[in-house]
Amino acid sequence: MDFQVVIPARYASSRLPAKPLLDLGGKPMVVRVAERAALSGASGICVATDHPEVEAAARAHGLDVLMTRADHPSGTDRLAEVVALKGWGDDTLVVNVQGDEPLIEPEMIAQTACQLAASGADIATVAHPIVDAADFFNPNVVKVVCREDGDALYFSRAPMPYARDHFAREGGGETLPAAFPALRHVGLYAYTARFLKAYARLAPSPLEGFEALEQLRALWHGYRITVAVVDHQPPAGVDTPEDAARVRRLFA
């Protein structure tokens, strides 16, 4: 199946400056991400950056790279610029692989693209079952509730769905009920180029402002988001110096 991978790689990061250039076993992190993406079977891989040093590092390793605007409010906006610069047709499938995911599973990239193609939705993303009550009640863990056909109903930082009777009996929510359909959202996305072309014209929704979840804009405007459910939590990305040290040890 044909799909494109775009790796947005912003240079600036408040917690980890020059993050895409972080050395992991002798190669910049953005290159490590591209190497993982190449194992997914993607038809093409493009790094989209806003900084000449990231561009130079990507080119030095033979990667396709585009310089994009520095003022994009989100990675989705950067993807939309790539679609325009590449001239991709509406039916092109584009997977957004974050530039700070050097351990991303290639199979998950391919699964997300396949989910989008099979569903006919506008967007595909990933989730896995929540088994820990602490994760369920943690507002930093984003939850998603799905319809019977696999489309997302809603994303939230709140605990949902809420097992009213179980939590009332259990007194505080230290455990989750058996067969509880709670899903943790994983921020891997595949889009149709058609949606990305329309995205810039979509007004922000009040829901995304309160929840701080950009994907709610698509739901607010009636777009379909299909969810691929996997059975495990994927490896964490690199957001902090502690994350960087952990991943460096793995590559060493």
Side-chain angles (χ1 to χ4, degrees):
M1 189 190 72
D2 290 339
F3 64 92
Q4 302 287 335
V5 167
V6 177
I7 305 172
R10 286 182 65 249
Y11 184 84
S13 170
S14 57
R15 289 184 288 183
L16 206 58
K19 185 162 66 169
L21 301 178
L22 182 74
D23 185 275
L24 298 179
K27 293 181 181 179
M29 179 162 64
V30 67
V31 174
R32 293 297 189 185
V33 175
E35 289 176 340
R36 298 296 286 172
L39 299 175
S40 70
S43 306
I45 298 165
C46 177
V47 174
T49 187
D50 60 354
H51 199 280
E53 288 186 37
V54 178
E55 180 191 30
R59 290 201 189 282
H61 287 83
L63 298 177
D64 180 20
V65 57
L66 283 176
M67 283 294 290
T68 53
R69 288 168 27 204
D71 60 347
H72 284 305
S74 72
T76 311
D77 293 281
R78 198 172 304 281
L79 256 68
E81 184 181 359
V82 171
V83 167
L85 291 172
K86 289 284 191 180
W88 286 334
D90 286 354
D91 294 331
T92 303
L93 306 185
V94 184
V95 182
N96 179 358
V97 176
Q98 295 297 330
D100 57 5
E101 298 278 356
L103 303 177
I104 191 166
E105 298 168 348
E107 299 81 6
M108 192 171 292
I109 297 173
Q111 182 178 355
T112 309
C114 289
Q115 179 89 5
L116 181 59
S119 68
D122 306 289
I123 304 169
T125 191
V126 180
H128 67 83
I130 296 175
V131 297
D132 189 329
D135 285 342
F136 182 66
F137 288 99
N138 182 350
N140 294 316
V141 173
V142 178
K143 275 70 71 172
V144 58
V145 170
C146 298
R147 300 189 322 202
E148 185 275 336
D149 64 1
D151 278 11
L153 279 170
Y154 192 65
F155 297 84
S156 182
R157 298 182 182 278
M160 67 173 202
Y162 195 81
R164 183 198 64 176
D165 294 344
H166 173 85
F167 294 138
R169 286 194 307 271
E170 202 259 351
E174 295 183 359
T175 66
L176 299 178
F180 191 44
L183 295 173
R184 178 179 190 159
H185 178 231
V186 177
L188 175 65
Y189 291 97
Y191 305 91
T192 63
R194 180 182 293 104
F195 170 80
L196 289 170
K197 292 174 183 178
Y199 178 78
R201 301 191 298 272
L202 300 180
S205 78
L207 294 173
E208 73 180 274
F210 286 114
E211 293 265 19
L213 296 175
E214 180 191 336
Q215 63 269 38
L216 293 176
R217 185 181 309 183
L219 289 183
W220 176 265
H221 289 282
Y223 289 93
R224 289 177 55 205
I225 303 178
T226 182
V227 181
V229 178
V230 299
D231 60 5
H232 64 283
Q233 182 173 344
V238 178
D239 288 317
T240 65
E242 293 75 21
D243 293 336
R246 168 181 56 83
V247 174
R248 273 184 169 140
R249 286 194 296 271
L250 289 172
F251 278 95

